[in-house]
Amino acid sequence: PPAPSTGAVERASAVRAASRQLQQLSCSERSQLLNSIADELLRRSDEIYAANALDVKAAEDEQITGPLRGRLELHSKKLQSVIDGIRALAAKENPLGRVKARTRVADGLDLLQETVAIGVLLIIFESRPDVLPQVSALAIVTGNGVLLKGGREAIMTNRKLHEIITDTVHSATGGAVDRVAESLGIPCFETPSGWKFFGNLMDSRELGGAAYDPLICGEESFGLGSSHVREKDGVWAILCWLSILAHHNERTAEGELVGVGDVLRAHWATYGRNYYSRHDYEEVDAATAQQMMQRLGAMAAGDEPVPDALCGGRVPLLGVESFAYTDPVDGSTSSNQGLVCKFAGGARAVFRLSGTGSVGATVRLYAERYEPAEAGPAALHRDAQEALADVLEAAAELAQLAHFTGRDRPTVIT
């Protein structure tokens, strides 16, 4: 859910928009997301125990004892039970779209009873922090958005669990923009490249759908467009940054101007930093580039084995997925829009292929990893290539990039 500072109506509307995006995921994608959450709960269990110890200490100071204190405590056995339960949910068959009953009303007309998502759930629970990941997992597997309200006695544990789950969801679906959209309580969409998808979102209101405008859309090289300028335009990007800087300098004293670097550092201190880079391998033989993508596609389809870890075991691999997008406006589905390699800790690498004509193809490798704000300045102010070194190395090893491209380094790095 959005940040607490967001109004109740705006928060519920944002969760409703998020639930629609969740329903667009396949059962396999939702299952992989649940397994990623289980992995992160286990990996960050020490953080959970530390937060829970603060709640238990506060309860002891308030002389809370007996069953209430017992429900509040989240020890290793209880957390492992939660993790096992989430993995069990991930292994179940798709609960959505199942036909429970069928009645023939007339020739050519059947009435079906089919399982669908409810939409948005409001769950109020007592001081049992283990409920938060359990209900969140149930909401994900059933395609529902969820608003949660827990007891104040478990506030530190609930905050930590919420942080871990939202970090995992963000790492699975997006990056820096997603975190700001969540904080503001506004919808955010991850689309394939192509302005058709942006245009549909802009036109949604006119077509009788949800209102997503005013809408800003952008891509990795900061080509931007909006509801009133439907092109990714360098001039638009310059005007956008000038507007951002003007806003930040409204009350700045003369000689103390806020610059682009200041804006970025303030953003990282609030939202954390999404390290990002794109590596292009240009004029690669089209046939061998296709072979590389087909091999990764076979991993995503389950037809090719996927290693558990890469780089000598240093980088655990959670899975490979083929990105597909279902347009929330016209319902069309665009498949095979990129192959996503998901690593432990929320990092990912995306492979796309373009320009497969006679001159040669371009293999694009997008790498991203997230560093939370609380990691501190040393972790947030690193060189992007240094911060992404493990991700890039693991992605290259998984795809056998040097073998298929004949290159030991990219042509262009952005």
Side-chain angles (χ1 to χ4, degrees):
S5 59
T6 310
V9 174
E10 291 80 4
R11 207 180 309 178
S13 297
V15 172
R16 176 58 174 153
S19 72
R20 292 193 179 105
Q21 291 180 276
L22 185 59
Q23 291 159 26
Q24 294 170 16
L25 299 180
S26 66
C27 178
S28 173
E29 289 171 326
R30 292 198 302 275
S31 294
Q32 288 183 2
L33 179 55
L34 289 178
N35 281 321
S36 296
I37 290 172
D39 290 338
E40 285 301 287
L41 289 173
L42 181 60
R43 188 180 72 86
R44 298 176 63 178
S45 58
D46 287 344
E47 298 176 40
I48 298 170
Y49 299 144
N52 187 243
L54 296 176
D55 287 330
V56 172
K57 176 64 168 60
E60 291 173 349
D61 291 344
E62 295 181 19
Q63 298 184 336
I64 296 174
T65 59
L68 180 56
R69 186 192 180 285
R71 290 193 295 267
L72 176 61
E73 189 174 0
L74 186 54
H75 48 69
S76 59
K77 184 176 180 181
K78 190 183 290 187
L79 180 60
Q80 188 60 55
S81 177
V82 169
I83 292 170
D84 291 343
I86 292 174
R87 294 197 193 282
L89 278 177
K92 288 185 177 296
E93 62 182 66
N94 190 3
L96 300 178
R98 298 171 63 183
V99 176
K100 308 291 286 186
R102 182 190 298 268
T103 302
R104 175 59 57 91
V105 178
D107 288 342
L109 180 61
D110 288 350
L111 180 64
L112 303 181
Q113 180 187 13
E114 184 174 319
T115 57
V116 298
I118 296 172
V120 176
L121 310 176
L122 172 60
I123 308 294
I124 300 174
F125 57 98
E126 57 186 4
S127 300
R128 292 180 53 191
D130 52 314
V131 170
L132 191 151
Q134 290 170 335
V135 171
S136 298
L138 283 169
I140 290 171
V141 80
T142 56
N144 288 297
V146 63
L147 290 163
L148 297 167
K149 185 180 187 303
R152 66 174 180 83
E153 295 86 358
I155 185 170
M156 301 305 294
T157 317
N158 284 339
R159 281 179 178 172
K160 179 55 65 176
L161 291 167
H162 174 266
E163 173 192 311
I164 292 171
I165 292 171
T166 53
D167 281 354
T168 308
V169 172
H170 283 142
S171 70
T173 61
V177 174
D178 302 62
R179 300 176 194 283
V180 178
E182 179 194 31
S183 177
L184 297 177
I186 57 178
C188 180
F189 300 90
E190 183 179 35
T191 75
S193 59
W195 284 78
K196 164 188 178 293
F197 305 105
F198 301 152
N200 277 359
L201 293 170
M202 293 174 187
D203 293 336
S204 178
R205 182 200 297 268
E206 284 71 23
L207 297 174
Y212 298 124
D213 58 320
L215 183 142
I216 295 177
C217 45
E219 42 97 90
E220 77 284 349
S221 58
F222 207 19
L224 288 180
S226 69
S227 300
H228 57 284
V229 182
R230 297 195 177 210
E231 275 299 332
K232 53 180 179 180
D233 187 273
V235 173
W236 203 104
I238 293 169
L239 291 174
C240 179
W241 262 112
L242 288 174
S243 298
I244 292 170
L245 293 174
H247 170 77
H248 282 280
N249 283 284
E250 283 179 342
R251 296 177 178 83
T252 303
E254 186 174 349
E256 298 179 3
L257 288 178
V258 175
V260 173
D262 299 312
V263 173
L264 290 176
R265 285 186 287 272
H267 173 90
W268 298 338
T270 303
Y271 298 101
R273 182 176 179 183
N274 287 77
Y275 284 99
Y276 172 86
S277 183
R278 188 180 95 185
H279 287 201
D280 287 357
Y281 295 77
E282 298 177 342
E283 297 185 9
V284 175
D285 180 75
T288 55
Q290 289 280 16
Q291 290 175 12
M292 185 191 79
M293 296 298 287
Q294 288 168 1
R295 179 174 170 273
L296 290 171
M299 292 184 189
D303 298 328
E304 183 86 12
V306 179
D308 294 328
L310 299 154
C311 305
R314 287 187 291 109
V315 184
L317 177 66
L318 302 182
V320 181
E321 301 174 4
S322 179
F323 177 56
Y325 175 72
T326 300
D327 196 303
V329 179
D330 63 19
S332 62
T333 298
S334 301
S335 303
N336 303 317
Q337 296 298 310
L339 289 157
V340 185
C341 312
K342 295 187 175 181
F343 303 102
R348 67 175 181 168
V350 181
F351 284 94
R352 298 190 74 245
L353 190 61
S354 64
T356 55
S358 58
V359 176
T362 297
V363 175
R364 303 193 193 280
L365 165 58
Y366 306 81
E368 181 181 26
R369 68 178 289 254
Y370 175 66
E371 199 69 64
E374 57 268 24
L380 295 173
H381 298 164
R382 300 171 64 191
D383 174 77
Q385 301 305 313
E386 174 194 338
L388 291 165
D390 282 355
V391 179
L392 291 165
E393 181 185 352
E397 179 182 327
L398 179 68
Q400 296 182 9
L401 199 55
H403 168 73
F404 284 106
T405 66
R407 313 278 177 79
D408 59 2
R409 59 177 59 87
T411 314
V412 178
I413 297 177
T414 53

